[in-house]
Amino acid sequence: MILITHQHLDPEALTKKVRSPGNGTVVTFLGTTRNETDGRGVLFLEYECYQPMAERSLTELAQEVQVRWGIQDLAIAHRVGRVEVGEISLVVAVAAPHRKEAFAACQHIVDRIKAVVPIWKKEFFEDGAVWVEGEGSPEAALTGFGLSTEAASGAEAC
């Protein structure tokens, strides 16, 4: 299951979707908004994405995990828009017969989301805001994918 949404994420519901009698392990990762970065107080985060490409990237990532670890039961949900301190922005739930594969797959998914999925995070502080983790602004990243900002702006950006 792949989900990109502006709505609050429900980790229990996502974890329940991956549970099955053949799996002895369920690993669930929750990415939450912390209240400080490098000694600066965080007010909130905003996530933006290029929805068609983000959904495709997440689907490909899920398929990669299925092939590499033989895991069929996984869910990835990412929130976009404004996310307050303490709220959840990412849920990854992976179920497998054994813990080693489930932990490895979950970590791989989280690491690859940050590296390749076109979802961008902006941290807001009392004295300003900054894009983090990646290619700067969404516009710069889309240009790196060979897309113009005009083309991207009309194509289901989230």
Side-chain angles (χ1 to χ4, degrees):
M1 177 196 153
I2 304 297
L3 175 67
I4 298 173
T5 182
H6 283 84
Q7 304 302 314
H8 289 268
L9 299 177
D10 183 349
E12 290 82 14
L14 290 165
T15 299
K16 187 175 180 180
K17 287 185 181 292
V18 303
R19 293 185 68 187
S20 75
N23 292 321
T25 301
V26 177
V27 174
T28 303
F29 171 87
L30 306 180
T32 60
T33 303
R34 63 180 171 265
N35 64 359
E36 75 87 23
T37 297
D38 297 328
R40 297 172 71 189
V42 174
L43 300 175
F44 61 92
L45 304 177
E46 280 188 3
Y47 287 90
E48 293 185 22
C49 78
Y50 180 55
Q51 186 118 10
M53 191 176 288
E55 288 174 349
R56 185 172 59 243
S57 295
L58 291 172
T59 299
E60 289 170 358
L61 180 55
Q63 291 168 344
E64 176 188 336
V65 166
Q66 290 168 346
V67 169
R68 185 170 174 182
W69 284 281
I71 292 173
Q72 300 303 311
D73 300 312
L74 61 92
I76 304 168
H78 206 302
R79 190 163 158 203
V80 292
R82 184 175 172 139
V83 181
E84 301 293 335
V85 170
E87 292 182 341
I88 299 167
S89 56
L90 175 63
V91 178
V92 176
V94 177
H98 305 285
R99 70 181 179 273
K100 183 177 181 181
E101 293 82 7
F103 276 112
C106 189
Q107 180 172 358
H108 179 77
I109 291 168
V110 173
D111 291 345
R112 296 301 293 157
I113 286 171
K114 290 181 170 256
V116 301
V117 177
I119 298 175
W120 304 280
K121 177 171 73 173
K122 191 173 192 178
E123 287 183 309
F124 287 81
F125 308 97
E126 286 185 14
D127 61 346
V130 63
W131 291 103
V132 293
E133 295 177 19
E135 301 296 316
S137 70
E139 293 80 11
L142 290 172
T143 302
F145 284 116
L147 298 169
S148 68
T149 54
E150 294 82 22
S153 66
E156 302 174 40
C158 33

